[in-house]
């Protein structure tokens, strides 16, 4: 009988970053972030669900006594952005007077991170806001936004795994890969 991991593996047509590659890159990112924020009051704001794995692995490599908050937003349906960012919480974390590092899985159109940064800037008064993403897609940004820390640059293709989903599937893959055409069709949203 195929294992769950085996079932998922059959639906991935290419592996982009193996687990060991991701871990080595996280070591480098963490040492950069630790040195940049040494002696500062840092709050990490992890954007769920996509940054769950990335955040867990990156944060355990950071050396300062940071605070962690999570934010839940939704902006994607299937494999294309809607441009509308919905905040799923009533209240933003209180980051007044603190340095904030926003963690997200991927910078694509830029809508999501732009909306989060704007809302934080307007509704709380952080000392600084920086952005850290695991992946940055090679597409024209629809919003003015630069990431301060980037794990890997990728081409314009839809990727899954290590927190990233297609229709809420594949987040638990330990590596990052590209979904097969068959899986895209299989899990595509069904409209009545
Ligand atoms: P943006 O608002 O277009 O920058 O999209 C950001 C969000 O869309 C990310 O936090 C992801 O949740 C999702 N997203 C964008 N590209 C991909 C992808 O290739 N795979 C999975 N999710 C993606
Ligand atoms: Mg998503």
């Amino acid at each position: 009988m195929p294992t769950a991991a085996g079932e998922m593996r059959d639906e991935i047509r290419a592996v982009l970053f193996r687990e060991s590659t991701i871990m080595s890159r996280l070591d480098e990112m963490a040492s950069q972030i630790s040195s940049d924020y040494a002696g500062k009051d840092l709050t990490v704001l992890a954007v769920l669900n996509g940054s769950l794995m990335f955040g867990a692995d990156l944060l355990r490599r950071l050396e300062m006594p940071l605070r962690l908050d999570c934010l839940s937003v939704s902006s994607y349906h299937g494999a294309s952005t809607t441009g509308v960012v919905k905040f799923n919480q009533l209240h933003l974390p209180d980051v007044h007077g603190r340095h904030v590092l926003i963690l997200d899985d991927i910078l694509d159109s830029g809508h999501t991170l732009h909306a989060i940064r704007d809302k934080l800037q307007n509704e709380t008064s952080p000392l600084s806001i920086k952005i850290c993403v695991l992946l940055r897609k090679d597409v024209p940004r629809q919003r003015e936004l630069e990431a301060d820390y980037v794990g890997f640059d990728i081409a314009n293709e839809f990727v899954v795994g290590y927190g990233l989903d297609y229709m809420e599937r594949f987040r638990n893959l330990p590596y990052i890969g590209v979904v097969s055409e068959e899986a895209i069709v299989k899990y595509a949203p069904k409209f009545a």
Side-chain angles (χ1 to χ4, degrees):
M1 200 168 75
T3 62
E7 283 172 31
M8 277 199 296
R9 229 182 349 250
D10 295 342
E11 297 181 332
I12 300 298
R13 70 172 163 79
V15 175
L16 284 187
F17 304 106
R18 299 159 49 175
E19 196 173 0
S20 57
T21 310
I22 300 172
M23 295 307 130
S24 315
R25 183 69 188 117
L26 294 192
D27 287 340
E28 295 170 355
M29 293 174 85
S31 75
Q32 181 69 55
I33 295 169
S34 292
S35 100
D36 291 353
Y37 286 97
K40 294 187 176 153
D41 274 339
L42 175 64
T43 297
V44 170
L45 202 54
V47 183
L48 296 179
N49 297 324
S51 71
L52 187 71
M53 318 294 173
F54 172 43
D57 287 334
L58 181 73
L59 264 52
R60 280 180 291 178
R61 289 167 161 80
L62 297 182
E63 289 158 16
M64 68 294 256
L66 53 83
R67 288 192 211 167
L68 170 64
D69 270 302
C70 296
L71 203 60
S72 165
V73 298
S74 19
S75 66
Y76 241 70
H77 295 284
S80 64
T81 185
T82 59
V84 180
V85 179
K86 181 171 156 271
F87 286 78
N88 301 327
Q89 280 143 314
L90 280 179
H91 301 288
L92 284 177
D94 180 16
V95 291
H96 180 87
R98 296 186 63 84
H99 295 284
V100 179
L101 182 63
I102 305 174
L103 288 194
D104 205 356
D105 51 2
I106 186 164
L107 173 57
D108 186 3
S109 71
H111 282 300
T112 307
L113 284 163
H114 190 271
I116 294 171
R117 192 181 59 184
D118 252 30
K119 203 169 163 70
L120 277 182
Q121 246 152 9
N122 296 337
E123 297 181 22
T124 66
S125 319
L127 272 182
S128 70
I129 303 181
K130 280 194 186 182
I131 289 174
C132 174
V133 290
L134 177 65
L135 304 174
R136 176 170 59 190
K137 233 184 235 192
D138 185 13
V139 289
R141 299 287 165 251
Q142 290 172 34
R143 297 284 181 165
E144 181 77 28
L145 193 116
E146 289 295 329
D148 301 279
Y149 305 96
V150 176
F152 304 99
D153 279 299
I154 62 165
N156 185 12
E157 55 189 349
F158 198 79
V159 298
V160 295
Y162 195 65
L164 292 126
D165 73 301
Y166 170 58
M167 297 304 294
E168 294 302 327
R169 268 90 168 187
F170 303 106
R171 289 195 199 275
N172 58 316
L173 273 182
Y175 52 84
I176 294 169
V178 185
V179 202
S180 69
E181 283 303 319
E182 296 79 57
I184 289 190
V185 172
K186 179 175 167 189
Y187 300 117
K190 295 183 177 51
F191 298 104

